[in-house]
Amino acid sequence: MLHLLAGAGEAPTVPQPMLYDNSARSHRDIAGPLLSSRTIVFHEGFARSPIYRVVDGCVATFQTLADGRRQIIDLVGPGRLIGLGASEYNRHSAETLGFTRLELLSAPLVANQFESALTETLARSQALAMLLGRKTAPERLASALLDLAEQFGRPARERKRGAVTFHLYPTRGDLADWLGLTLETVSRCLTRLKKADLIDIQRGDLVTLLDPRQLAHIAVGDQTLSH
Amino acid sequence: MLHLLAGAGEAPTVPQPMLYDNSARSHRDIAGPLLSSRTIVFHEGFARSPIYRVVDGCVATFQTLADGRRQIIDLVGPGRLIGLGASEYNRHSAETLGFTRLELLSAPLVANQFESALTETLARSQALAMLLGRKTAPERLASALLDLAEQFGRPARERKRGAVTFHLYPTRGDLADWLGLTLETVSRCLTRLKKADLIDIQRGDLVTLLDPRQLAHIAVGDQTLSH
DNA sequence: CGGAGCTTTGACACGACTCAACGTGGGTGG
DNA sequence: CCACCCACGTTGAGTCGTGTCAAAGCTCCG
């Protein structure tokens, strides 16, 4: 089920914060409505959205081709901003990947961190280009898991080799659309990573990186993954 | 032969414009030395470079993996800026792809257009991610040629269907590193585009787009290219 | 118990890569 | 001035990684 949060058709000169959540229509808080999974925050080509900070949860930003092919540009976790690269209209869409709380940033608050946030977003986008253009499927998965661990991870109870555990917001299909692969290839690579004892997945969405250092080696091609 | 332009090892707090060109060492002009092909302007991981405007020619920005795999992040033509996404150190390298004239931008000059230039760079980087993650080889080539025409093109003498001609700065290998392909695949796709009468290539580096509209259809997958 | 949505696994196909040979054009030095 | 060289480009044959299509397995939840 898809909910809409912001972005009517026309472009107000001053972007208007128009927050409402169909699934819980009582919410009108500027501060932070709780959005359910698969809520569209803003839509590519629509009037520029205001800028939000992800307080909790996960947001995917993505572009879509006419025939339905989708490329996820970034997965955004707590603390980071969404709605950045827009000009008059949004350059991409944004969708929540789980229960997510956003915080609307006021103009002065934004100005403060605008440049550094934009620079970081650019750096991540360029790292993604490197990944998409030149890395193999296992390298992409290793890179992705390390990134997610950094954004969503808490140190695991098991202290072995700095293991990290995190909640996996994206589905296999989301990961595929992020990493330029298919759902099946993502699944197969995760299986290989499990069999190599580099990761563990419990209950489908709880991931533990058992050996981040080795994953990092795989991520940059210093080491290959067996079949 | 590789020339070095900027970026010693250590990081000065205030980035120092240190322009010199080994191939013509008399140049010390801040205004605009003429750089020969394959000159490194700044290097990934080195102290942050100042920001330049490309006056004439072409600059490639790229990242490299330890094993030599290279991903070109952007090809930058006249009027656009390089050196943008850097923090304390450069996030990528930059190299000229032909005789190129740069202009050093002073701090106030930069501030003026910093945000819009950064936003445009981000938009281009995200478009590249879409291309790398989800487009086929012919679609990538069509997209690339249209982009280059916009940056380097002058309307061709022949007025047929809005044909455009431009000087092709990148080699087949450069295009491959930009589009996430191999040199051979790029060559084969260009041959197919020629045989379909969509483009023409004279003297190896002068490209004419004979039917930009149809190329645009191919670029977004609305139409496929015969073999 | 049954169904929906997501995941896993297998068999097969195909696009892009690899390896290799050959062609072409511009520059250099004998 | 020509022969040679070198970098770049083209083309072909065969391989391989990833995509496609299909079936079956989980897990949650009504």
Side-chain angles (χ1 to χ4, degrees):
Chain A
M1 184 60 185
L2 284 185
H3 309 280
L4 248 130
L5 197 141
E10 54 284 287
T13 316
V14 176
Q16 285 228 298
M18 291 189 40
L19 275 179
Y20 46 92
D21 178 358
N22 294 336
S23 70
R25 45 175 47 271
S26 66
H27 283 299
R28 278 248 166 191
D29 299 319
I30 289 300
L34 182 63
L35 308 176
S36 63
S37 195
R38 305 293 161 180
T39 303
I40 302 289
V41 182
F42 54 81
H43 205 287
E44 179 179 4
F46 281 43
R48 177 168 70 191
S49 156
I51 291 175
Y52 299 95
R53 169 188 277 103
V54 176
V55 176
D56 202 63
C58 179
V59 173
T61 60
F62 61 95
Q63 294 182 340
T64 313
L65 246 33
D67 57 16
R69 282 176 282 176
R70 185 172 81 137
Q71 177 64 48
I72 291 183
I73 300 298
D74 205 352
L75 291 187
V76 183
R80 295 183 47 218
L81 308 188
I82 60 170
L84 279 173
S87 56
E88 197 178 326
Y89 53 89
N90 298 316
R91 290 263 169 64
H92 52 254
S93 306
E95 175 185 29
T96 60
L97 294 191
F99 281 98
T100 300
R101 192 176 298 278
L102 298 183
E103 172 191 2
L104 180 66
L105 260 62
S106 60
L109 253 178
V110 168
N112 245 355
Q113 49 200 314
F114 186 73
E115 185 185 317
S116 68
L118 206 51
T119 300
E120 190 202 340
T121 303
L122 178 60
R124 288 180 59 83
S125 173
Q126 298 184 341
L128 181 64
M130 172 89 248
L131 179 149
L132 292 170
R134 289 304 183 210
K135 290 190 180 178
T136 66
E139 287 165 10
R140 296 180 197 199
L141 259 299
S143 306
L145 291 172
L146 288 167
D147 183 88
L148 294 173
E150 193 145 326
Q151 288 203 72
F152 300 99
R154 303 149 294 172
R157 49 224 79 134
E158 20 184 344
R159 293 285 143 68
K160 299 170 190 168
R161 289 186 266 198
V164 203
T165 296
F166 59 91
H167 177 73
L168 218 215
Y169 285 100
T171 67
R172 303 294 184 271
D174 293 329
L175 288 172
D177 285 346
W178 186 27
L179 306 177
L181 301 167
T182 58
L183 184 159
E184 293 91 333
T185 300
V186 168
S187 180
R188 281 187 252 267
C189 285
L190 288 178
T191 300
R192 285 168 63 187
L193 287 166
K194 273 187 280 189
K195 284 184 178 156
D197 282 327
L198 293 174
I199 67 170
D200 189 29
I201 306 185
Q202 304 111 35
R203 275 187 27 250
D205 60 358
L206 198 63
V207 177
T208 302
L209 307 191
L210 299 171
D211 194 342
R213 296 198 53 143
Q214 209 175 330
L215 278 174
H217 281 134
I218 292 175
V220 297
D222 285 352
Q223 192 179 324
T224 55
L225 184 60
S226 59
H227 282 269
Chain B
M1 184 59 185
L2 284 184
H3 309 280
L4 249 132
L5 198 142
E10 53 284 286
T13 316
V14 176
Q16 285 229 298
M18 290 187 41
L19 275 181
Y20 45 93
D21 177 358
N22 293 336
S23 69
R25 46 176 45 274
S26 64
H27 282 299
R28 279 245 167 194
D29 300 317
I30 289 301
L34 182 63
L35 307 177
S36 63
S37 195
R38 304 292 161 181
T39 304
I40 303 288
V41 183
F42 54 80
H43 206 287
E44 180 179 3
F46 280 44
R48 177 168 70 190
S49 157
I51 290 175
Y52 298 95
R53 181 200 310 287
V54 175
V55 176
D56 203 63
C58 179
V59 174
T61 60
F62 61 94
Q63 294 183 340
T64 312
L65 246 34
D67 58 16
R69 283 176 281 178
R70 184 173 81 136
Q71 177 63 46
I72 291 184
I73 300 298
D74 204 352
L75 292 187
V76 183
R80 295 182 47 217
L81 309 187
I82 60 170
L84 279 172
S87 56
E88 195 177 328
Y89 52 90
N90 298 316
R91 290 261 170 64
H92 51 255
S93 306
E95 175 185 27
T96 60
L97 295 192
F99 281 100
T100 300
R101 192 176 298 279
L102 298 182
E103 173 191 359
L104 181 66
L105 260 61
S106 61
L109 253 179
V110 168
N112 243 357
Q113 49 200 312
F114 186 74
E115 185 185 318
S116 69
L118 205 53
T119 300
E120 191 202 340
T121 304
L122 178 59
R124 289 179 59 84
S125 172
Q126 298 185 341
L128 181 64
M130 171 90 249
L131 179 151
L132 292 170
R134 288 304 182 210
K135 290 190 180 178
T136 66
E139 288 166 9
R140 295 180 198 199
L141 259 298
S143 305
L145 291 173
L146 288 167
D147 183 87
L148 293 173
E150 195 145 326
Q151 288 203 72
F152 300 99
R154 302 150 295 172
R157 49 224 78 134
E158 21 183 342
R159 293 286 144 69
K160 298 170 190 169
R161 287 185 268 200
V164 203
T165 297
F166 59 91
H167 177 73
L168 217 215
Y169 285 100
T171 66
R172 303 294 184 270
D174 294 328
L175 288 172
D177 285 347
W178 186 26
L179 305 177
L181 300 168
T182 58
L183 184 159
E184 294 92 333
T185 299
V186 168
S187 179
R188 280 187 252 266
C189 285
L190 287 178
T191 300
R192 286 167 63 188
L193 287 167
K194 273 187 280 189
K195 285 186 177 155
D197 282 327
L198 293 174
I199 66 170
D200 188 30
I201 306 185
Q202 304 111 36
R203 273 185 31 246
D205 60 357
L206 196 64
V207 177
T208 303
L209 308 191
L210 299 171
D211 193 341
R213 295 197 55 142
Q214 209 175 329
L215 278 174
H217 280 135
I218 293 175
V220 297
D222 285 351
Q223 193 179 322
T224 56
L225 184 60
S226 60
H227 281 269

